[in-house]
Amino acid sequence: MRKAVIIPSYKAAETLPGVIESLPKKLARDKGIAIIVNDCSPDRTGEVAEDLAKSHRHVEVVHHEQNRGYGGALKTGLAHGYELGFDVFPIVHSDGQYAPELAIELCAPIERGETEIVQGSRMKGGGAREGGMPYFSRYLPNKILTTIENVAFGTHVAEFHSGYMIFSRRLLEMVPYQKLQDNYNFDAEMMIMAHLCGVPIIEEPIPTRYDESTSSLRPIPYGLNVLRMIVRHQLGHYRQLLDEHTAATGQHDIV
């Protein structure tokens, strides 16, 4: 399966080169690509990305003329990779918080036909605490929100809030991902959609290199939006999106 690594990028001029250099060499050898989506970053992210594309044949850059948010950048990268015919889409953050060198390894459950979605989990295996995730501001709220979400969605995952996601081409066809939120809740909504489709969510433990200074996520607005996401689920919003998508495309759930 050919892989397109999607790298949503905002204010990442300093960290982006290290992320590209840390990607597995196997990506380029197997004719995979890394798609950097410059989300109208006000710093030199766009220029750095273009320089990386010039020096690395397997790197492509897409620029947003307006900032669309994390989820919006992912939608652009996923759509671009899909149009180019790739099969698996690992999401790697431009700040290097999640280990880029694992981008190919984490695709294995999809390649084995076990699932259409994989999450690199910081909670599974203890990576979050070992990586220095602040206990009261990030770790504890993560655990509390995940517990609430598992009850609300009927899932049994270790966390809903890791951004190290891997999606298959089939999943992009099964769910209306372009209609999901443009913020950091995009990942959790993809997990909800996969669960509603009967797709098992496979979690693989990952190390965490936590640096709060590089994170642009604001915990309180994020947490409030998680609660809104739960309300939407209870009101049938996500099931309705799936039903409309199935009617429009003919794609069917696994169950």
Side-chain angles (χ1 to χ4, degrees), residues 1 61 89 107 123 234:
M1 290 184 169
V61 184
F89 305 91
C107 298
M123 297 298 178
Q234 299 301 328

Side-chain angles (χ1 to χ4, degrees), residues 38-171:
N38 169 33
D39 193 25
C40 195
S41 186
D43 65 356
R44 296 186 62 256
T45 294
E47 298 172 42
V48 171
E50 288 292 346
D51 288 342
L52 289 167
K54 291 176 183 177
S55 59
H56 298 75
R57 296 180 60 185
H58 65 294
V59 173
E60 294 193 10
V61 184
V62 180
H63 298 279
H64 280 173
E65 294 184 2
Q66 294 182 330
N67 182 270
R68 290 185 52 193
Y70 170 79
L74 281 188
K75 292 175 187 179
T76 295
L78 291 168
H80 185 63
Y82 183 90
E83 290 171 1
L84 293 175
F86 287 90
D87 306 300
V88 188
F89 305 91
I91 310 302
V92 171
H93 286 198
S94 60
D95 59 6
Q97 181 181 144
Y98 301 108
E101 62 270 19
L102 298 180
I104 302 301
E105 179 180 333
L106 292 174
C107 298
I110 292 176
E111 293 186 286
R112 292 194 297 262
E114 298 171 4
T115 185
E116 309 298 335
I117 182 171
V118 176
Q119 183 197 63
S121 174
R122 301 166 296 180
M123 297 298 178
K124 191 172 182 179
R129 296 301 293 147
E130 293 174 3
M133 179 184 284
Y135 184 81
F136 289 105
S137 65
R138 296 299 173 96
Y139 182 84
L140 186 59
N142 188 317
K143 296 291 286 186
I144 293 172
L145 286 174
T146 293
T147 299
I148 295 172
E149 288 166 294
N150 276 326
V151 172
F153 306 141
T155 50
H156 300 87
V157 299
E159 73 164 316
F160 263 93
H161 310 291
S162 168
Y164 211 151
M165 305 297 301
I166 298 89
F167 307 127
S168 73
R169 183 180 184 87
R170 185 183 182 197
L171 185 65

